[in-house]
Amino acid sequence: MRVLGIETSCDETSAAVLDGTGDDATLRSLVILSQDVHAIFGGVVPEIASRAHLTAIVPVVERALTEAHADAFDAVAVTNAPGLVGALLVGVSYAKALAFARGVPVIGVHHMEGHLFATALEHRGAVPPFTALLVSGGHTLLLDVEAWGRYRVLGRTRDDAAGEAFDKVAKLLGLPYPGGPHLERLAAASQAGPFRFARPMLRRDQAAGDPDFYDFSFSGLKTAVLNAVRASADLGADRGPIARAFQDALVDTLVEKTTRAVRQFGRTRVVLGGGVAGNASLVAALRERFTSRGVEVFAPSSRLATDNAAMIARAGLFHLERGERSSLDLNAFATQPLPGLVAA
Ligand code: KG4
Ligand code: ZN
């Protein structure tokens, strides 16, 4: 089956063509147009994002089809939740019109389920059962995935998402938006030195069943950074060590909670997804923790870690093969639970 994927949930206009059956899927093309304009404002401006999607959607889809040498496709998969509604509506409207004109089905895809499938496009072993850590700009989710379409949510953030924490701390340190990759570079070139921040929501006395055993919270860490910045007599010299200490605290928390999930469910694979999965320190720390325990860690490349339509096409393929279709009244939603949830 050939699936055209479309993603417009935030500030990337993306289209991809994917051929496949089950876990045997081949990416034929992937076009990602990042809306750099938001850097001027230090964050995504929703109306500007919607208008930029409207301008870009036709050429981005046409280019994905041209690069794949694909005139025809069997279905259109489009992100319809969660995200900025005005941005999602552009992709959903376009996908429905295109599917109608071509006489093929359209399927709405949950953006976070897309992130779950991204790594499988690059690593054949990144298939269920596995423990999943999804760390993006809008979400932080720890999941046990016993099969595609059967997801047990173990933990989520109570305030800022991991990527959001990176972006906010980067801003405090005077780095450009989106700050994650800039902060990672600054941290990599520094030692934490005199700075050390408490690991958020991490205590030894937590036990499975406690609400905070798996959950995350990053706003306190952000405040600790703010206090360190304010107290610094020489921020030029302290920026690097503060960035490093922040990243160390955040990574430690993610590694520890992921370890708890792997242990409880006895999984032998960890699959990462979302923009922060492109962070080399996080991936290295997880590998250091798990390799000697016989647990393999799968991380997507930066291109597939951040928002892209390939992962949407891949998740769409899964649902289409199960016979699922959306109707032409498919709508867009700012929030929506992940499909296929099983009780924790
Ligand atoms: O998954 P994504 O592209 O968009 C959402 O669905 O939110 O994630 C974007 C987020 C941003 O917060 C960005 O700063 C962060 O991922 N990010 C990183 C890195 N690359 C992207 N954070 C830390 N280190 C990175 N290398
Ligand atoms: Zn995303």
Side-chain angles (χ1 to χ4, degrees):
M1 185 180 277
R2 172 165 291 171
V3 182
L4 169 67
I6 294 176
E7 153 67 38
T8 65
S9 69
C10 192
D11 57 347
E12 263 88 30
T13 315
S14 180
V17 176
L18 183 85
D19 285 339
T21 317
D23 284 327
D24 186 15
T26 308
L27 193 57
R28 297 288 175 211
S29 66
L30 171 59
V31 178
I32 306 173
L33 186 71
S34 292
Q35 302 174 356
D36 296 337
V37 57
H38 304 288
I40 304 168
F41 304 100
V44 178
V45 182
E47 186 181 334
I48 293 177
S50 305
R51 291 179 187 278
H53 286 307
L54 205 51
T55 310
I57 188 81
V58 174
V60 164
V61 170
E62 281 182 353
R63 188 156 147 209
L65 291 170
T66 305
E67 285 184 9
H69 305 292
D71 298 326
F73 39 85
D74 302 305
V76 183
V78 61
T79 312
N80 77 309
L84 302 170
V85 166
L88 288 165
L89 284 172
V90 176
V92 170
S93 306
Y94 183 77
K96 289 201 287 188
L98 186 60
F100 179 71
R102 298 290 189 100
V104 299
V106 63
I107 180 93
V109 172
H110 191 286
H111 182 80
M112 298 312 290
E113 189 179 29
H115 276 302
L116 266 185
F117 275 92
T119 311
L121 288 168
E122 295 178 315
H123 302 282
R124 293 215 155 243
V127 293
F130 58 73
T131 300
L133 178 66
L134 298 183
V135 272
S136 72
H139 299 83
T140 304
L141 282 175
L142 183 62
L143 304 163
D144 182 66
V145 177
E146 56 185 57
W148 292 130
R150 285 187 65 79
Y151 312 123
R152 184 176 279 111
V153 176
L154 303 174
R156 57 175 80 237
T157 182
R158 298 203 180 160
D159 38 60
D160 294 347
E164 191 180 359
F166 265 99
D167 293 342
K168 287 179 175 171
V169 165
K171 202 170 190 172
L172 292 175
L173 297 176
L175 298 168
Y177 177 88
H182 296 282
L183 195 144
E184 179 181 11
R185 275 192 291 277
L186 183 59
S190 316
Q191 292 301 322
F195 297 97
R196 189 182 193 284
F197 301 119
R199 276 51 181 152
M201 299 275 278
L202 209 58
R203 296 189 322 277
R204 283 183 184 282
D205 62 356
Q206 290 165 326
D210 292 354
D212 52 3
F213 186 65
Y214 287 126
D215 274 354
F216 305 95
S217 162
F218 298 116
S219 75
L221 177 58
K222 179 188 64 191
T223 306
V225 171
L226 176 64
N227 291 338
V229 166
R230 284 193 178 142
S232 169
D234 182 1
L235 194 56
D238 288 343
R239 273 167 89 235
I242 291 174
R244 176 62 184 263
F246 159 77
Q247 183 175 271
D248 285 353
L250 189 140
V251 164
D252 256 11
T253 306
L254 295 176
V255 170
E256 211 49 56
K257 302 239 167 182
T258 306
T259 306
R260 291 175 178 181
V262 167
R263 215 180 271 148
Q264 185 180 347
F265 292 90
R267 300 301 181 205
T268 55
R269 298 178 203 124
V270 171
V271 172
L272 291 174
V276 184
N279 184 292
S281 301
L282 171 63
V283 178
L286 285 166
R287 294 220 162 105
E288 192 180 316
R289 169 65 56 93
F290 288 117
T291 306
S292 62
R293 303 176 184 208
V295 175
E296 207 169 349
V297 176
F298 296 95
S301 63
S302 288
R303 191 166 164 75
L304 289 186
T306 51
D307 289 350
N308 69 84
M311 66 187 198
I312 302 305
R314 179 64 190 84
L317 173 66
F318 165 72
H319 288 288
L320 288 158
E321 286 190 321
R322 290 214 301 192
E324 296 167 23
R325 309 277 182 268
S326 298
S327 58
L328 285 178
D329 64 0
L330 177 69
N331 216 324
F333 302 96
T335 59
Q336 197 176 60
L338 201 63
L341 289 180
V342 296

